[in-house]
Amino acid sequence: MDLKNLQQQIDFIKEIDKIKYIQRKTKLFNSDRNENDAEHSWHLAMMAIILAEHSNEPIDILKVVKMVLIHDIVEIDAGDTFIYDTQKNHTNTYEERLAAKRIFGLLPQKQAEGLIEIWEEFEAGLTHEAKFARAMDRLEPLLQNTSNNGGTWNEFDINYSKVYDKKKIIDEGSKTIWDFAEKLLDESVEKGILKK
């Protein structure tokens, strides 16, 4: 038994507990309570498992689940950047790369390298798995906002074109889900919970 590896793994497990304290702007379905990153990641993992059949291409679902479970761990150090933030771009930042190196670096080297590789694959968004994982990441807040009468769209005065621009990435992972999402956006405009 390698006690050094075990201790590094336990240290990592303790460190990532901090993701439960990272508050997101979106709120839980039909709720006034903000979601945290741990809840978000768990929900995406379940969504990926349930919706996998709608992927544009065959995917390794275990890899997708790993992606969505680890994609926001860097926010322990870097913080959550609101997708509609006008000051800071919601793309892979220098701070997130430093955070990935530090946090995943708590693990034994081989595990650390493997998780960093999966995190970078998600961020690049080029593989079938990354495209589907990113589709899940964009779908969940859309479902939340429609369940909350516009939620963060209304709270932060986000209009249809901004939402559409951020959500159209869903199409790269699943044409079927994107068609569904577009309908939700149109219905949201009709209901007056999303301004055109």
Side-chain angles (χ1 to χ4, degrees):
M1 180 190 292
D2 188 339
L3 292 179
K4 182 179 179 232
N5 277 7
L6 176 60
Q7 187 58 59
Q8 288 177 296
Q9 292 161 336
I10 296 297
D11 291 344
F12 173 78
I13 288 166
K14 288 179 178 179
E15 182 67 12
I16 65 169
D17 187 68
K18 293 176 182 174
I19 199 171
K20 297 172 186 174
Y21 297 97
I22 308 295
Q23 295 296 305
R24 295 170 48 80
K25 298 285 189 224
T26 48
K27 296 185 172 43
L28 302 177
F29 286 83
N30 302 306
S31 175
D32 289 332
R33 183 170 78 73
N34 288 67
E35 176 182 51
N36 68 48
D37 270 356
E39 293 166 327
H40 170 65
S41 298
W42 166 82
H43 210 183
L44 296 187
M46 288 302 301
M47 288 169 59
I49 292 166
I50 300 303
L51 300 174
E53 69 184 83
H54 303 292
S55 175
N56 289 339
E57 303 292 340
I59 51 173
D60 175 348
I61 191 61
L62 178 58
K63 190 178 211 184
V64 173
V65 168
K66 285 180 182 180
M67 282 182 182
V68 297
L69 286 175
I70 69 166
H71 80 290
D72 278 342
I73 284 177
V74 296
E75 293 183 0
I76 290 169
D77 288 358
D80 179 52
T81 301
F82 185 41
I83 195 165
Y84 302 109
D85 194 311
T86 56
Q87 304 300 313
K88 189 173 183 182
N89 195 351
H90 192 269
T91 56
N92 191 10
T93 65
Y94 176 72
E95 293 88 7
E96 287 178 336
R97 288 204 172 278
L98 285 177
K101 187 176 178 184
R102 184 194 73 79
I103 299 166
F104 295 125
L106 294 172
L107 287 163
Q109 185 176 351
K110 188 174 179 183
Q111 275 188 317
E113 289 170 355
L115 290 183
I116 289 172
E117 187 177 303
I118 289 172
W119 178 76
E120 287 177 341
E121 183 178 336
F122 173 85
E123 291 295 318
L126 300 176
T127 64
H128 299 315
E129 287 79 12
K131 289 175 183 178
F132 190 72
R134 289 159 66 94
M136 297 299 96
D137 193 34
R138 298 297 168 93
L139 176 63
E140 193 223 20
L142 171 61
L143 297 174
Q144 289 168 322
N145 284 324
T146 56
S147 81
N148 287 318
N149 294 313
T152 55
W153 302 335
N154 289 328
E155 185 179 349
F156 297 97
D157 198 29
I158 310 299
N159 66 30
Y160 174 88
S161 64
K162 286 182 185 174
V163 174
Y164 188 93
D165 285 347
K166 294 293 184 184
K167 301 301 177 185
K168 67 183 176 186
I169 197 172
I170 294 171
D171 191 40
E172 294 179 19
S174 173
K175 175 73 173 131
T176 304
I177 294 172
W178 174 237
D179 290 345
F180 173 80
E182 273 193 302
K183 263 171 97 174
L184 275 183
L185 290 173
D186 291 341
E187 289 170 6
S188 296
V189 170
E190 288 169 20
K191 290 177 184 174
I193 63 172
L194 180 60
K195 299 173 195 153
K196 200 135 191 189

